[in-house]
Amino acid sequence: MEIEGSDVSRAEEIKNQANEAFKAHRYGQAIDLYTQAIELNSQNAVYWANRSLAHTKLEEYGSAIQDATKAIEGYYRRGAAYLAMGKFKEALKDFQQVKRICPNDPDATKKLKECEKAVMKLKFEEAISVPESERRSVADSIDYRTIKVEPQYLGAKIEGDVVTLDFVKKMMDDFKNQKCLHKRYAFQIVLQMREMLQALPSLVDINVPDGSLLTVCGDVHGQFYDLINIFELNGLPSEENPYLFNGDFVDRGSFSVEDLLPISMIYIILV
């Protein structure tokens, strides 16, 4: 039931009067005033909780339990709504009240821990946050040309800024033999790919001429040897042998980077 704004305001005024009566140990008067506030706004759990405490002071335990039950229901409903809306700080306050009134309720304990965890995450994010005007991509601070390649490195190399198919084949062979790519070349691939993708629209139309074949490749999820097997079965991607990857190149498997770099390099060569 929707409550008029004037009733909400009046209920708060009466609640404040009841609080003053409670502080003065006029518990009967406090109960009468809390009752008036509840009649105006029965959805405010604070009124029920306060009246429950006043009943307790008068040793009217049956009434105190009834009001405490109403308070728990109110706090719980509102806390659950705040939680669903992602308002974790507000939800935390409500479930703290539920826990205070009903300390042994397992569901309230679970919800309280969930809120505490979410609020801690928010505080951490606020602590490390950077103003929008000062935000800068890590990629903007990397200059791969200044990274030296040690003489003892014998893996695949990119000569200058030009990526060749021979480099890609050498890199995949190194990965198959559990060898690593030098970080200079890994940075170069990622930065060049980033620059190319930023220039593209989010949706790209692909035309497949009549009589041509298009290999649609599902999620490889870091399974490098599955990717290599696909290339061995269908051939490497080229203008005459196009591939469409669904995405999900990384995670789950143990070779996420090994999946991503060859696919990126082939794309750079073809484009």
Side-chain angles (χ1 to χ4, degrees):
M1 183 179 69
E2 190 171 342
I3 301 170
E4 294 288 338
S6 58
D7 288 344
V8 172
S9 298
R10 180 59 182 153
E12 275 296 294
E13 293 176 6
I14 295 172
K15 184 261 291 183
N16 292 334
Q17 295 172 19
N19 288 349
E20 293 300 320
F22 185 93
K23 291 175 184 177
H25 307 290
R26 299 193 301 271
Y27 301 121
Q29 182 185 2
I31 289 171
D32 290 340
L33 289 168
Y34 286 133
T35 301
Q36 293 177 40
I38 289 169
E39 288 172 351
L40 290 169
N41 182 10
S42 62
Q43 296 179 19
N44 194 320
V46 174
Y47 304 162
W48 295 99
N50 288 2
R51 194 174 74 172
S52 173
L53 187 58
H55 279 303
T56 301
K57 291 294 185 180
L58 294 179
E59 299 183 1
E60 298 170 351
Y61 300 119
S63 296
I65 290 172
Q66 287 181 343
D67 282 353
T69 301
K70 284 283 189 180
I72 291 170
E73 291 174 356
Y75 283 125
Y76 192 96
R77 282 197 303 269
R78 190 172 67 179
Y82 279 141
L83 192 59
M85 295 167 63
K87 295 184 176 182
F88 302 116
K89 292 180 181 179
E90 292 86 345
L92 177 63
K93 293 178 183 178
D94 282 335
F95 285 115
Q96 285 173 336
Q97 290 288 356
V98 174
K99 184 69 174 175
R100 193 174 292 118
I101 298 170
C102 195
N104 297 321
D105 185 279
D107 192 49
T109 301
K110 180 180 177 182
K111 288 286 194 300
L112 180 60
K113 288 181 178 178
E114 186 179 345
C115 290
E116 288 173 341
K117 184 177 179 180
V119 169
M120 286 296 293
K121 182 181 177 183
L122 285 176
K123 288 181 178 179
F124 176 75
E125 290 173 349
E126 289 171 1
I128 65 171
S129 64
V130 177
E132 188 71 33
S133 59
E134 299 177 16
R135 290 183 184 178
R136 185 166 171 248
S137 172
V138 174
D140 295 331
S141 65
I142 299 173
D143 183 359
Y144 65 85
R145 296 178 181 85
T146 63
I147 301 174
K148 292 183 62 176
V149 180
E150 298 78 9
Q152 60 269 30
Y153 174 72
L154 301 176
K157 296 181 180 180
I158 301 174
E159 300 298 335
D161 292 333
V162 179
V163 178
T164 65
L165 189 58
D166 287 338
F167 165 79
V168 177
K169 291 178 179 177
K170 168 64 174 167
M171 179 176 62
M172 290 194 294
D173 285 338
D174 287 348
F175 287 161
K176 279 194 283 186
N177 294 315
Q178 302 288 299
K179 294 180 181 178
C180 295
L181 179 69
H182 195 279
K183 64 180 180 180
R184 173 194 167 103
Y185 306 122
F187 280 137
Q188 182 174 347
I189 293 169
V190 172
L191 292 174
Q192 287 185 358
M193 190 65 184
R194 174 176 179 263
E195 184 178 350
M196 297 179 75
L197 290 176
Q198 285 179 328
L200 290 174
S202 58
L203 182 63
V204 180
D205 290 326
I206 299 176
N207 295 317
V208 182
D210 293 340
S212 299
L213 296 177
L214 174 69
T215 299
V216 179
C217 187
D219 307 348
V220 288
H221 280 299
Q223 301 290 349
F224 175 69
Y225 293 99
D226 288 351
L227 177 66
I228 293 300
N229 189 47
I230 291 170
F231 287 160
E232 289 176 351
L233 290 172
N234 287 5
L236 287 173
S238 67
E239 290 185 4
E240 296 76 28
N241 187 32
Y243 275 70
L244 173 62
F245 285 92
N246 286 337
D248 283 339
F249 306 118
V250 301
D251 75 42
R252 301 187 193 175
S254 302
F255 303 98
S256 292
V257 174
E258 289 84 348
D259 267 357
L260 191 59
L261 293 180
I263 295 171
S264 299
M265 286 290 40
I266 291 170
Y267 177 80
I268 291 172
I269 292 170
L270 291 177
V271 174

